[in-house]
Amino acid sequence: MCDSIFPHSCKFYFNAEQSRVKWKESIKSILVVHKFCDLNVIESLKSFVHYMLKKWDLTIYLESITLDELKSDDLFYPVIQQYVNLGNDEFKQVTTEHNVSRLCENAAESSSKINEKSSIRIFDHTVRNKIDLIVCLGGDGTLLQIGSMFQGITPPVIAFRLGTLGFLTPFPFKMFRTQMKSVLEGSSYCVLRTRLCCQVIRSNVMNHISNNNPDIQNTSTASNCSSENQSQASNCCNDISSRSSSPDTEYHFLNDLVIDRGLSPFICDLLIKVNGREVTTVEGDATSV
């Protein structure tokens, strides 16, 4: 296994018995991804973020929708105000000392003193190469979504079970303090999971390539869409969220990928190839790989 699939901050060791990830330098940035629309997960997220900010010198990246939800909580608001550098105008006035002390009681913390070496920042696709470690708070669906958020180099992921299913999330959340200490302070065992790679090449692009180089083989999925619809789809891809895939034509995914007709009013005519060999053709609104 090549180390190039991992961030520069860690090194991968593999033998027949075990696989390990060892940090070349201390972890500086982690991304916390959680299951949406679950109040129990949000409460666990608050406990996790508050503990990590105080205990470790880290930059914690959160998605903008997550930060907005945390800011709406009067009890957690002072923590956000202390660690996010957004300016006082963006925060409503609350009694900081009172709320922080209540939060510490709920989280079983003994002090409300902040860690000046820690911070919270907003995550988007432009800072993906800064992430050293991903923390997943949710179930298998959340973990599979992380596999699509990072195309190419993917940081190691530690998953805590807070969802409906937990086949891919081995650690119970109540153990997060012990497990995070083990990961941050030394090398850790890891499981490598293979991702599928899919290329989407539109018919007019493929025709142009074939005309210029008749010997080239298409090793991907070709879809028949008009140039106008391609332009609309391209504009749509430019406005990507933190959980969207890369706007490139190559996609890496853990479980399945759905290719649909997008903004086109016409049925797609798809030619499916695997490793350059034609497998089948599909005519319809979408197909799942």
Side-chain angles (χ1 to χ4, degrees), residues 126-137:
T126 63
V127 297
R128 288 175 181 170
N129 60 345
K130 297 182 180 180
I131 304 301
D132 297 320
L133 176 71
I134 304 173
V135 178
C136 173
L137 304 179

Side-chain angles (χ1 to χ4, degrees), residues 88-102:
N88 293 331
D89 292 341
E90 296 194 24
F91 296 95
K92 56 187 177 181
Q93 297 300 318
V94 293
T95 308
T96 302
E97 183 178 354
H98 173 66
N99 283 331
V100 169
S101 63
R102 287 178 57 197

Side-chain angles (χ1 to χ4, degrees), residues 37-44 69:
C37 304
D38 190 318
L39 294 179
N40 292 329
V41 173
I42 294 298
E43 292 303 316
S44 299
E69 187 159 5

